[in-house]
């Protein structure tokens, strides 16, 4: 291993074409250099290639050979002397994911300034998606106070109308995960109890109570029992009609399909009802589920519930139980929800994500997604749109 002292940074730019990288390394061959680092990116057909090497024993000849090779390939080249390797990248490393629809330059300027203001450095930026949202992943180093950085970026993102997530770097990102989702207004677009209430003629009353409960203004169990009581006498056959009318959130199938391909486990935990969630489990191939159960006697809803209530505390407990069953540490769990009933679950998970959530939930969560596409979660996990589409094409 070379003792890294003085180094040379070779930067090649120009129109991308096959063979440029090979030509550069071929020119370096024979000059007793060690490759210390390489970065290469192509943007709209333009290549930027940087190679950090030890200077070797014949620096003048190396410079001439590299310049000749680059010019023969129609490229511009710069060779800069310096010292040291990229050691700062090994400390305070984080991933910052930015989602925008659209993603404006003012947002990028503000976020970059906040990163610098926290004493951190942007080492690399990579686009994860262009549609349905633009998402970028920034590799950050030197973040000595991650909580401060997360707070600063969250404030800037809120002011600029974009979404942001700050996650730790390291091998864990490639590890197996458990993703646990709320159902109503998260996995699906609807509130099932309101759909049932529409058939019972009390939709407006139930909707008012639901909204207050999701804002955290009412005790969830008491509000749930009060709403379910209004359904007493409703024909159980209505459940089939509601089940058929439920609409998955855009991107839900893509999210679950991609997670399962990567051997992650996917679960739902719902303040709704097993009469609906059991069908979702079967349809989507989910691994775990928990929900409330409506009591039905003689083909009618009694207005009561059977078994334990899936409330705020129970959701967090089920997250832990699902993780233990899956053999996944809590640090590798991801929870997604929109209401106050999800707060404990979001706090307990390794990554808690507020999805188009109430303000109370957005403030408490580790990250927020405010676009109507559930598969945007994949970008927070470092999975690009190209990766998803390539996997889908391979299965066709």
């Amino acid at each position: 291993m070379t003792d890294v002292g003085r180094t040379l940074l070779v930067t090649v730019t120009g129109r991308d074409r096959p063979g440029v990288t090979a030509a550069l390394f071929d020119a370096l061959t024979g000059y007793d250099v060690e490759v210390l680092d390489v970065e290469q990116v192509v943007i709209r057909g333009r290549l930027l290639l940087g190679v950090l090497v030890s200077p070797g024993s014949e620096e003048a000849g190396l410079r001439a050979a590299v310049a000749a090779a680059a010019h023969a390939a129609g490229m511009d080249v710069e060779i800069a002397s310096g010292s040291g390797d990229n050691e700062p990248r090994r400390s305070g490393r984080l991933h910052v994911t930015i989602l925008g629809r659209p993603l404006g330059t003012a947002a990028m300027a503000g976020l970059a300034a906040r990163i610098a203001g926290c004493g951190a450095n942007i080492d690399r930026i990579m686009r994860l998606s262009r549609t349905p949202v633009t998402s970028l992943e920034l590799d950050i180093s030197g973040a000595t106070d991650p909580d401060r950085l997360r707070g600063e970026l969250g404030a800037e993102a809120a002011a600029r109308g974009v979404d942001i997530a700050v996650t730790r770097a390291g091998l864990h990102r490639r590890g197996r995960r458990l993703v646990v989702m709320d159902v109503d207004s998260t996995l699906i677009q609807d509130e099932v109890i309101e759909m049932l209430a529409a058939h019972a003629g009390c939709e407006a009353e139930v909707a008012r109570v639901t909204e207050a409960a999701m804002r955290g203004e009412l005790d969830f169990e008491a509000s749930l029992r009060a709403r379910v009581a209004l359904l007493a006498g409703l024909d159980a056959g209505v459940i089939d009609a509601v089940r058929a009318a439920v609409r998955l959130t855009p991107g839900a199938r893509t999210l679950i399909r991609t997670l399962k391909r990567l051997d992650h486990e996917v679960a739902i935990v719902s303040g709704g009802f097993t009469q609906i969630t059991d069908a979702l489990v079967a349809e989507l191939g989910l691994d775990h589920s928990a929900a409330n159960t409506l009591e039905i006697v003689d083909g009618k809803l009694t207005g009561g519930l059977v078994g334990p209530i899936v409330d705020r505390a129970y959701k967090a407990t089920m997250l832990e139980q699902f993780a233990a069953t899956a053999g996944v540490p809590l640090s590798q769990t991801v929870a997604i929800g929109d209401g106050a009933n999800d707060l404990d679950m979001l706090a307990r998970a390794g990554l808690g994500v507020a999805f188009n959530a109430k303000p109370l939930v957005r403030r408490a969560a580790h990250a927020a997604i405010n676009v109507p596409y559930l598969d945007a979660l994949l970008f927070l996990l470092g999975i690009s749109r190209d990766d998803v589409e390539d996997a889908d094409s391979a299965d066709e």
Side-chain angles (χ1 to χ4, degrees):
M1 177 66 67
T2 300
D3 181 16
V4 178
R6 186 165 172 275
T7 56
L8 296 177
L9 176 61
V10 180
T11 306
V12 175
T13 58
R15 186 173 64 83
D16 188 35
R17 66 193 72 189
V20 173
T21 305
L24 174 60
F25 281 101
D26 186 59
L28 291 169
T29 300
Y31 286 95
D32 189 30
V33 301
E34 179 182 346
V35 177
L36 303 174
D37 198 0
V38 180
E39 293 279 355
Q40 179 170 319
V41 65
V42 176
I43 301 178
R44 212 180 67 179
R46 299 289 295 182
L47 171 70
L48 172 60
L49 170 60
V51 181
L52 186 68
V53 299
S54 59
S57 57
E58 300 179 43
E59 184 177 333
L62 180 151
R63 287 175 175 269
V66 166
H71 294 153
M75 312 295 285
D76 296 322
V77 64
E78 177 184 346
I79 304 174
S81 299
S83 62
D85 197 352
N86 290 321
E87 294 299 325
R89 295 185 178 185
R90 297 180 183 176
S91 63
R93 295 173 56 239
L94 297 169
H95 297 296
V96 175
T97 308
I98 304 167
L99 307 179
R101 190 179 179 234
L103 179 57
T105 54
M108 288 299 298
L111 292 167
R114 296 267 190 162
I115 291 170
C118 290
N121 186 63
I122 302 172
D123 295 327
R124 185 184 183 195
I125 302 177
M126 180 177 69
R127 188 177 78 179
L128 295 176
S129 71
R130 181 65 183 89
T131 59
V133 299
T134 298
S135 60
L136 301 177
E137 181 175 275
L138 284 60
D139 290 348
I140 304 298
S141 65
T144 56
D145 189 346
D147 290 337
R148 178 194 169 199
L149 178 65
R150 187 176 286 108
E152 292 274 347
L153 292 179
E156 187 70 28
R160 300 294 184 179
V162 298
D163 297 336
I164 198 95
V166 180
T167 54
R168 59 195 178 103
L171 284 175
H172 77 281
R173 213 172 190 215
R174 295 183 173 89
R176 190 160 170 266
R177 293 181 182 268
L178 166 70
V179 177
V180 181
M181 289 180 279
D182 175 42
V183 176
D184 291 22
S185 298
T186 300
L187 177 63
I188 64 175
Q189 300 178 58
D190 313 286
E191 289 287 336
V192 167
I193 195 167
E194 294 178 13
M195 299 171 75
L196 291 168
H199 289 275
C202 56
E203 182 180 12
E205 184 176 356
V206 166
R208 281 195 298 272
V209 178
T210 299
E211 185 66 20
M214 291 301 99
R215 290 195 302 266
E217 297 171 1
L218 298 174
D219 173 77
F220 180 81
E221 179 174 352
S223 70
L224 177 63
R225 290 191 183 279
R227 286 174 288 166
V228 171
L230 296 171
L231 305 179
L234 188 64
D235 192 294
V238 167
I239 293 173
D240 294 332
V242 169
R243 188 185 300 120
V246 161
R247 301 165 299 164
L248 290 174
T249 298
R253 291 186 188 278
T254 299
L255 171 66
I256 294 167
R257 181 174 66 246
T258 304
L259 291 171
K260 298 291 287 180
R261 281 173 175 157
L262 294 171
D263 197 34
H264 301 316
E265 295 208 5
V266 185
I268 53 174
V269 58
S270 174
F273 311 111
T274 57
Q275 285 87 350
I276 302 298
T277 59
D278 286 351
L280 293 171
V281 170
E283 178 184 353
L284 299 171
L286 304 177
D287 299 290
H288 314 275
S289 69
N292 299 298
T293 299
L294 294 166
E295 183 179 55
I296 300 173
V297 176
D298 297 329
K300 302 286 186 181
L301 273 66
T302 68
L305 295 164
V306 178
I309 299 299
V310 179
D311 60 5
R312 176 171 166 170
Y314 194 86
K315 284 191 171 189
T317 298
M318 294 312 299
L319 170 76
E320 293 180 338
Q321 289 188 13
F322 293 157
T325 300
V328 173
L330 279 177
S331 61
Q332 286 293 97
T333 61
V334 180
I336 317 167
D338 72 302
N341 197 35
D342 301 309
L343 282 171
D344 288 3
M345 176 177 73
L346 298 180
R348 197 76 54 85
L351 176 63
V353 181
F355 181 73
N356 293 304
K358 310 301 183 289
L360 172 71
V361 182
R362 288 201 302 270
R363 290 193 296 269
H366 302 130
I369 294 175
N370 294 301
V371 294
Y373 309 106
L374 196 55
D375 55 340
L377 176 72
L378 295 171
F379 309 140
L380 303 190
L381 304 181
I383 301 168
S384 73
R385 175 62 63 186
D386 286 346
D387 290 338
V388 174
E389 293 178 353
D390 287 347
D392 286 342
S393 298
D395 282 352
E396 290 178 355

